[in-house]
Amino acid sequence: FSATELKDLPTARDMWSLIGISPGLILKSFDVGGSATGTQITYYAYGMTGQQRVQEDGVNMTESNSASSTYGDYSAFSEVQMGTSGNDASMPSPGAQINFVVKSGGNDFHGDFYQDFESPNFQGHNISQTQLNEGAGVGTRITTYHDTNGDFGGPILKDKLWFFSSARYQEIGTRVTGYPVQNPSSGPAFTTKLSDALYKVTYQINEKNRISQMLNFIRKQQPYRNASNTQYSDAVYNQDLVEWIGNVVWDSTITPRAFLE
């Protein structure tokens, strides 16, 4: 998926929504209107799961053997590669290999800004007033949803040194029917907050050698993790995960047919 396709595709702007439209890859369930934001969905590559690898600019950020340790700054990627079979030698086992390629700055300043928002009023339900009077709920409804994402990059020294930066903040709240047990459906919305900040600097040493350095800060917050219709209010926990992903890459053209990374 190129940067243009990533912008134009009407998805929930994460890895799993791209998996859902990729040939040879299947999701166990679906994200509807961003309802699964911050929640990983099991996926299969030609029926195989548990042997996957997820990478950002070549950095292995696989969690366990079939999940990603982060959710990604969607506008920061110049392309996303989905390998389902016949992967190269960097993939140690059968299964899906997914690589997010981070943008680099260029000789012109450029930037993007993205914002979306969803109101509870945008959602309907098919529960009658009689059912509501009898104690029925209206399902897992989104109480709040917004995604703010922007990036900016350009030259520090033209033809020599470039920078790229990006930031994203995403928040979703959903109702949990029946939570907490001691007072069903009275609890707060299940909230997920995702924060990303990223930069990349690239230096062209000469026509055959280039070095780059990337650093990505990620934070995931779920203050009512584990909330369900079988849990009391004191049985949930506050998840606050901070993660850093970074690399230094040197690329060299040895001959027209031999390259070093």
Side-chain angles (χ1 to χ4, degrees):
F1 298 95
S2 68
T4 302
E5 290 168 330
L6 292 174
K7 284 183 183 180
D8 293 345
L9 288 167
T11 71
R13 305 182 80 241
D14 62 18
M15 182 181 88
W16 296 268
S17 59
L18 292 175
I19 287 172
I21 57 175
S22 298
L25 287 167
I26 298 173
L27 287 173
K28 188 175 181 181
S29 60
F30 294 94
D31 183 302
V32 179
S35 59
T37 296
T39 302
Q40 303 207 34
I41 302 171
T42 301
Y43 59 96
Y44 304 88
Y46 292 105
M48 178 178 292
T49 188
Q51 298 290 335
Q52 325 296 17
R53 172 168 286 198
V54 184
Q55 302 172 151
E56 182 175 305
D57 256 14
V59 179
N60 185 359
M61 59 180 192
T62 312
E63 179 183 294
S64 183
N65 57 4
S66 61
S68 171
S69 64
T70 184
Y71 296 86
D73 184 344
Y74 196 83
S75 74
F77 305 130
S78 62
E79 64 180 61
V80 180
Q81 303 162 345
M82 300 275 183
T84 56
S85 64
N87 294 305
D88 63 24
S90 65
M91 180 63 175
S93 62
Q97 183 181 33
I98 300 169
N99 191 37
F100 297 90
V101 181
V102 177
K103 294 176 182 177
S104 298
N107 278 336
D108 297 312
F109 290 105
H110 61 271
D112 280 305
F113 178 76
Y114 177 92
Q115 173 72 59
D116 65 29
F117 167 77
E118 184 173 338
S119 165
N121 297 327
F122 295 168
Q123 303 164 79
H125 63 79
N126 61 353
I127 308 300
S128 69
Q129 188 58 50
T130 300
Q131 290 171 309
L132 290 173
N133 292 339
E134 292 174 348
V138 291
T140 306
R141 294 171 61 77
I142 293 175
T143 59
T144 181
Y145 180 87
H146 60 84
D147 183 0
T148 305
N149 201 182
D151 65 71
F152 183 71
I156 300 173
L157 293 172
K158 283 198 172 183
D159 299 320
K160 201 71 175 175
L161 183 63
W162 306 275
F163 78 94
F164 173 78
S165 60
S166 183
R168 183 183 192 184
Y169 179 73
Q170 215 176 353
E171 182 174 342
I172 179 174
T174 58
R175 285 292 173 196
V176 181
T177 301
Y179 168 78
V181 172
Q182 72 269 23
N183 191 5
S185 301
S186 67
F190 180 78
T191 304
T192 301
K193 301 176 183 179
L194 302 175
S195 306
D196 264 277
L198 176 149
Y199 78 83
K200 185 175 184 179
V201 177
T202 306
Y203 179 61
Q204 191 74 37
I205 302 170
N206 53 45
E207 64 177 10
K208 291 187 176 182
N209 292 276
R210 179 181 60 189
I211 191 169
S212 65
Q213 193 266 319
M214 181 271 293
L215 188 64
N216 190 182
F217 164 82
I218 304 109
R219 186 180 187 187
K220 176 184 177 180
Q221 297 166 279
Q222 282 188 338
Y224 307 106
R225 179 90 190 227
N226 208 34
S228 73
N229 61 2
T230 62
Q231 300 289 353
Y232 288 86
S233 56
D234 60 356
V236 298
Y237 60 95
N238 180 12
Q239 180 187 17
D240 193 344
L241 170 69
V242 172
E243 180 181 3
W244 296 87
I245 295 173
N247 68 6
V248 177
V249 179
W250 170 36
D251 296 298
S252 182
T253 302
I254 302 171
T255 73
R257 300 201 313 180
F259 307 93
L260 173 71
E261 180 178 84

